[in-house]
Amino acid sequence: MDVSSLPISPSHRGKLISAGYSSLSSLSSLSPSRLALDLKISENEAVEILKVASVRSGQDKIESGSRALVNGAQTAWDMLHEEESSKCITTSCSNLDEILSGGIHCKEVTEIGGVPGIGKTQLGIQLAVNVQIPAEYGGLGGKAVYIDTEGSFMVERVLQIAEACAQDMLEYNTLLRRDSQACLVDKQPKSFLDNIFYFRVCTYTEQIAVINYLEKFLSEHKDVGVKVVIVDSITFHFRQDFEDMALRTRLLSGMALKLMKLAKKFNLAVVLLNQVTNKFVEGSFQLTLALGDSWAHAATNRIILYWNGNERHAFIDKSPSLPSASSPYTVTGRGIRNSTSNCKRVKLM
Amino acid sequence: MRPAELLRRPLPTQTAKLTLGCPILDRLLHGGIPCESITEIVAESGSGKTQLALQLLLAAQLPVSDGGLAAASLYLHSEFPFPFRRIHQLLFHRPHSPHNPLDRIFIEPLHSVDHLFDVLPRLDILIPKSNIKLIVIDSVAALFRGEFDNTAPELKRRSGLFFKISSKLKFYARKFGLAVVLTNQVTDVIESSDNLRIGNPVSLCTSGRKVCATLGLSWANCVNTRLFMWREEDRVGDDNVQTRRFLRVVFAPHLPDSSCEFVIRREGLFGV
């Protein structure tokens, strides 16, 4: 079938033909970004053209799932395209972003654990601030839900990190010599604080209640654009003596399922901060993430923060897509940043 | 309790803090001991932990404009006897106040961990009734001394109790806006390659010995802020030994790695 028969504007038709797209089949497996690049049009316009083409050719590959055999399923092609075009939340440390292949990903549950003082809460706060970086600066322009179970969330520290983030964005502007009208209104540190929905839970029942409530909360605030849910820490209230350990396991796996569902349904990132404990393994004590082996399956990715000599390091312990690697980072007054020492950078294992 | 009530909106731009009674020490802690979280002071015996705790008991009574909490305090002590003489000394050097400061310090001796669990539920009534805004437990380590065998199941049970205590204290801290200060002791550590590093310092040293905080890794997960006090003996001249004292931030969610020197005088602890 011919492209010339499509009900699109003549200029678009002309561009299609001169770019070499003469038949509908040539458009059938094309991504909108590719088409936009080829025709030098906006991605929205490309999506429109492809939609018209797919309707014309009787297929519906752009809309996810309707060609699929099972309702609600997605073709792998659609999933790949989605993954490629989704943005990550930067950690403000390029080395760390590198081993995470961009940063913290949406639609995934990432667990981060480490000894006290290694920087878990710092990383949590950094992510709660960085998720708010507008799209113009490569961020998600979203908001954060921060569930604090330990009381480590200090507003003064959040304001400090937020101020550094705003300063970095201004610097980015001046480096690119952007027109001041074109760039976004400069963010006040306090506005960063307003975009964090902060829940303080003091018992395990409160923790479960809030996590169950999140689905309703996120549905009601869909236009608000929460893009990250951080739980600091997921484990604190569960390390007390539970008389019924089976109950604890049930509660934990229920929580894990709920969080994974939230991540997928609302297309956000879930970050769980965990503690470490000493486990007697093969004759010696080793540091492992708390909550035991059954919890290990709750998260998509697991990152362990540890001390290596005098430096803080992050290690990808488990991930379906990221290779095992470790990278150094530091915690500065401005937040999480690259470490400035001279030793070798990212180490692949 | 509805989950929506747990959402704190809007967030305050400042956390309430309790002054230590000295501007230099306050600067180290960016204002003082924060409320609604647990601050732990780790030091060997005779370093000044109890002194600092007594100083805080008095500072809590100061008006908020002076960095206090304008409230009473509760001192739970597991070490005996209560330092009456020292607190009288501190009071003597204080500016005169219309009411007796000792009236606003509540003391409860603690004999065991079970005793602590008996005392905690009573706080629900005691705290609002007496307007308590500071709880000091001196020391947490003494409560657990000698009560637990060194076997794996006993240590696991002990660790479960840590989280229970911490959870309850944080619950009251949040509910009533309290500052909670705990003191902990140190134990000598043998130099080895797999010494666990917790916090900013590579290792803790006091009086020339390598030490670590007691109660282990589990307990370290239960406190929000850990401060370390230590002593150094400096040789000054031929046979003159001077003791210098320091306070350092081991870990804290809002503080960088920093330390400062202090002295203990009759009027109290002061930074230099």
Side-chain angles (χ1 to χ4, degrees), chain A residues 116 122 150-152 155-157 194 196-200 202 210 213 236 239-240 275-276 307 309-310 312, chain B residues 3-4 6-9 11-12 14-15 17 163 166-167 170-171 174 197 199-200 202 221 224 251 253:
Chain A
Q122 304 301 310
E150 296 192 0
S152 296
V155 286
E156 287 90 346
R157 183 59 173 148
D194 291 333
I196 301 178
F197 293 95
Y198 174 80
F199 290 86
R200 174 82 172 97
C202 293
V210 166
Y213 170 66
F236 178 70
R239 293 186 73 184
Q240 296 179 31
Q275 297 168 346
V276 288
W307 284 104
N310 230 359
R312 291 174 159 89
Chain B
L6 297 170
L7 174 64
R8 202 163 171 190
R9 214 162 166 74
L11 278 169
Q14 245 187 357
T15 317
K17 299 227 175 72
F163 285 93
S166 170
S167 177
K170 286 181 182 181
F171 173 78
R174 170 76 182 108
R197 174 173 171 173
N200 302 314
V202 178
N221 282 310
N224 296 105
F251 60 80

Side-chain angles (χ1 to χ4, degrees), chain B residues 85-118:
Chain B
R85 196 196 266 163
R86 183 55 174 145
I87 203 166
H88 276 293
Q89 206 172 34
L90 288 176
L91 278 175
F92 183 75
H93 293 277
R94 232 144 233 273
H96 195 64
S97 53
H99 60 82
N100 184 4
L102 289 180
D103 282 340
R104 301 176 89 191
I105 299 178
F106 296 86
I107 303 171
E108 181 94 29
L110 290 179
H111 302 287
S112 66
V113 179
D114 290 325
H115 189 182
L116 177 60
F117 283 118
D118 282 336

Side-chain angles (χ1 to χ4, degrees), chain A residues 325-340:
Chain A
S326 82
S327 123
Y329 69 95
T330 53
V331 180
T332 68
R334 302 172 66 84
I336 306 278
R337 293 291 187 274
N338 271 338
S339 110
T340 48

